[in-house]
Amino acid sequence: MEVKSVAVIGAGTMGNGIAQVIAASGIGVVMTDINDAGLKRGLDAIDKSLQRLVSKQKLNAGDKDALLARIRTTTRLEDIADCEVVVEAATENVDLKLKIFADLDRIAKTTAVLASNTSSISLTRIAGSTKRPAQVIGMHFFNPVPVMPLVELIRALQTSDATYQTIRTLTEKLGKSPVEVKNSPGFVGNRILLPMINEAVYCLHEGLATAEDIDSVMKLGMGHPMGPLALADLIGLDTCLAILQVLYEGFKDPKYRPCLLWQEKVDAGELGRKSGRGFFVYDNK
Ligand code: NAD
């Protein structure tokens, strides 16, 4: 299937990055969010990211304008009706995603592929909530999307080979490296990553060391480019907690039990970079 336009549902941390890389590949994008403020935040983030490329002379100003012109924004889900592919990147919440997929199933054209960028929720369950389960797949980008080459392609039990091929071809067109993964809580990336970050949060909660020093251990001792607590702030503490809960409930294994500090931070609105404060403090101006 030739993909001429892609809808991106959610203009947050991931959605705006996904919209940017799709538009950069020459494909038209319809980016949605629940309100104009969400869309503006998303567009501002794309503009800032492109401006950085212009100042590093990796993009010229004309190409930046052409890329931005390929992104249409809307709060009306009906406006995605002509897209061949939808990539859902809304908040990590199972009830919300099932509702969005029911709506997409009703609105998107019958041939459209519905992909989710979920970090951990079962694609088999999402697919099963639609009348086109063979056309549902996971397309799991990594943060920051314009920089990270990996996309995990998660096959639901019902995903057809044709759907898989469409999304694999699209992923390659975006200049990304697809890795095929079976559906399972956290897939591969987050199943390995989140228990490590959770352990760092336990170390902080137990007062073993400061946040800076915990991150230094992993950077200076293990060669990680970024410490686990700074990485949690980048991902979003609410998103990390949601992924850990899916791992914990999915496997019923106490090794995935989220540290109590996650919920404390989320209840306090300390969500990481996106709210200006998480394990570290950020100047969002
Ligand atoms: P975010 O909180 O930054 O953004 C979510 C956006 O979705 C918000 O702008 C919100 O207003 C919007 N939204 C909520 N309900 C919506 C609806 N009904 N329709 C349209 N938009 C809606 O979250 P995020 O970090 O971008 O995460 C989005 C998805 O990507 C989640 O499933 C998450 O697990 C996944 N993901 C996140 C990361 C990461 O590092 N943050 C990495 C890979 C995958």
Side-chain angles (χ1 to χ4, degrees):
M1 187 196 348
E2 200 198 342
V3 179
K4 291 196 216 113
S5 64
V6 175
V8 178
I9 312 301
T13 311
M14 296 304 288
N16 70 61
I18 295 168
Q20 179 183 324
V21 297
I22 294 172
S25 78
I27 297 173
V29 178
V30 180
M31 182 169 76
T32 81
D33 208 298
I34 44 175
N35 53 35
D36 289 334
L39 290 173
K40 182 174 182 316
R41 264 196 311 275
L43 273 181
D44 286 350
I46 296 173
D47 193 68
K48 206 167 139 194
S49 162
L50 295 176
Q51 196 48 50
R52 256 196 311 272
L53 295 177
V54 171
S55 46
K56 286 185 193 158
Q57 295 181 335
K58 290 185 175 167
L59 185 74
N60 69 51
D63 288 344
K64 174 186 172 222
D65 291 344
L67 191 160
L68 285 172
R70 281 194 286 276
I71 304 176
R72 266 200 303 139
T73 58
T74 180
T75 54
R76 284 168 23 96
L77 205 57
E78 286 69 22
D79 293 342
I80 64 99
D82 291 334
C83 296
E84 289 83 26
V85 171
V86 181
V87 183
E88 173 277 318
T91 313
E92 186 79 343
N93 173 298
V94 66
D95 294 332
L96 174 71
K97 294 211 191 266
L98 294 180
K99 159 90 175 70
I100 291 175
F101 271 77
D103 290 342
L104 291 173
D105 198 20
R106 189 169 41 77
I107 295 165
K109 53 183 173 189
T110 52
T111 51
V113 168
L114 307 182
S116 175
N117 183 53
T118 177
S119 304
S120 58
I121 296 168
S122 167
L123 267 309
T124 300
R125 185 167 177 202
I126 294 176
S129 73
T130 71
K131 295 193 185 76
R132 59 176 97 188
Q135 288 159 245
V136 174
I137 188 166
M139 191 178 190
H140 184 214
F141 290 84
F142 286 71
N143 186 8
V145 179
V147 177
M148 302 304 274
L150 176 65
V151 181
E152 281 183 318
L153 301 186
I154 300 112
R155 278 179 181 264
L157 204 62
Q158 309 95 316
T159 306
S160 70
D161 288 344
T163 297
Y164 177 79
Q165 266 319 320
T166 298
I167 297 303
R168 188 175 179 100
T169 305
L170 174 63
T171 304
E172 285 165 349
K173 184 162 184 192
L174 304 183
K176 301 291 184 194
S177 305
V179 170
E180 183 179 350
V181 178
K182 285 196 185 116
N183 186 53
S184 174
F187 319 127
V188 171
N190 283 326
R191 177 152 169 198
I192 298 171
L193 178 67
L194 263 295
M196 190 270 289
I197 298 180
N198 194 33
E199 215 50 48
V201 176
Y202 273 115
C203 291
L204 182 68
H205 198 43
E206 290 168 20
L208 302 190
T210 63
E212 286 80 3
D213 284 349
I214 290 168
D215 274 12
S216 291
V217 167
M218 298 307 285
K219 285 190 289 184
L220 305 181
M222 321 296 164
H224 287 202
M226 187 179 221
L229 298 174
L231 182 54
D233 280 354
L234 178 71
I235 296 169
L237 273 47
D238 51 343
T239 302
C240 288
L241 175 58
I243 298 168
L244 279 163
Q245 282 163 340
V246 167
L247 287 168
Y248 184 53
E249 281 153 26
F251 291 111
K252 306 274 186 288
D253 187 330
K255 77 178 176 185
Y256 298 111
R257 184 165 55 92
C259 177
L260 291 176
L261 186 55
W262 288 110
Q263 191 65 59
E264 286 287 290
K265 298 292 261 185
V266 170
D267 288 346
E270 296 183 11
L271 305 181
R273 284 194 191 203
K274 62 185 167 187
S275 71
R277 178 184 283 267
F279 296 116
F280 300 98
V281 178
Y282 301 88
D283 178 2
N284 279 351
K285 275 176 244 131

